[in-house]
Amino acid sequence: MRISASFVEPPRIEFFLYRHADTAWREAIRPWLERDRGRLQRSYVVVPTRGQAQALKQRCLLEGVALLGVEFLSPGLARKKWLALGATGARLKPGLGRELLMLGLGTIVERRLRGLSAEASERGLLKSLQSDLDRALDDFDELLKAGFGPGDFALETLREVFGELVAWVEARGYDFASRQVMRASAAMQSPDAAGKIGGRVLVHGFGAE
């Protein structure tokens, strides 16, 4: 998949789907990189991993494609770079890493389980959370992305567990990355923020979803 856009208003967006990497390179990526060759401007190429970025740069080198003003970024690096440039007034907190979130959630669930009798009705739900902390965090992240929070769970046990997790994260000066991205995105809608970032963007290698 390839998407290209410009931060200059109004943005011009192109969307392409390709089944093969060579086709994407020949019909989309290389023409995009060679557009306006010799003109000094910011150009960003966002790919899923640093390894893919390195592979693209290597192919450019082998085929003589100039990379003047082109910067290759993974999603994490792009987020850090653009937040620093365009969302300086958003008062953002750092997002807590996935491993620490899993540790925090696992500790909360384990502590609650220790305080329950074997017949407690909520024991099964807590055991289910404990068996797949990664899936539980994914589901909670989707809830946050939709603009909801722990208080929106229908079950009291889930409201309490994830409410405690949010409080645990915030007490350490951190936040959930998805919430910070949403706040940063809102801050970056201003013309001033767009001007600080500038340039063209090519997004390549992600699924259609």
Side-chain angles (χ1 to χ4, degrees), residues 32-196:
W32 187 90
L33 289 169
E34 293 184 326
R35 188 183 302 166
D36 300 324
R37 176 181 285 184
R39 177 183 173 188
L40 185 59
Q41 63 178 332
R42 288 179 181 173
S43 297
Y44 303 103
V45 178
V46 182
V47 292
T49 68
R50 294 184 183 184
Q52 286 169 287
Q54 188 60 37
L56 269 181
K57 286 191 282 187
Q58 184 67 21
R59 185 161 192 174
C60 290
L61 179 63
L62 291 173
E63 299 193 19
V65 177
L67 295 177
L68 180 65
V70 179
E71 187 170 359
F72 291 82
L73 303 169
S74 65
L77 289 174
R79 180 169 60 246
K80 291 178 182 178
K81 183 178 184 68
W82 294 339
L83 290 185
L85 288 172
T88 53
R91 297 182 180 179
L92 300 173
K93 296 179 181 178
L96 193 63
R98 183 76 168 191
E99 294 79 8
L100 290 175
L101 286 173
M102 290 182 65
L103 175 63
L105 179 59
T107 300
I108 292 167
V109 171
E110 177 63 29
R111 185 171 63 247
R112 285 177 167 265
L113 281 170
R114 286 201 303 267
L116 293 176
S117 65
E119 298 79 21
S121 59
E122 62 182 302
R123 191 174 185 84
L125 178 57
L126 291 172
K127 279 289 188 182
S128 178
L129 288 176
Q130 188 181 49
S131 68
D132 197 345
L133 295 172
D134 198 47
R135 172 78 177 273
L137 284 173
D138 282 342
D139 291 342
F140 186 54
D141 199 49
E142 290 300 318
L143 189 77
L144 294 176
K145 289 177 181 177
F148 298 103
D152 295 296
F153 280 113
L155 298 177
E156 182 180 2
T157 299
L158 293 179
R159 291 197 298 271
E160 291 177 352
V161 168
F162 286 98
E164 189 174 346
L165 179 63
V166 169
W168 181 80
V169 170
E170 291 178 345
R172 284 151 182 80
Y174 289 86
D175 198 358
F176 292 83
S178 54
R179 294 202 303 191
Q180 292 301 295
V181 168
M182 290 173 63
R183 290 169 184 166
S185 178
M188 291 171 67
Q189 297 306 308
S190 70
D192 180 61
K196 291 178 181 177

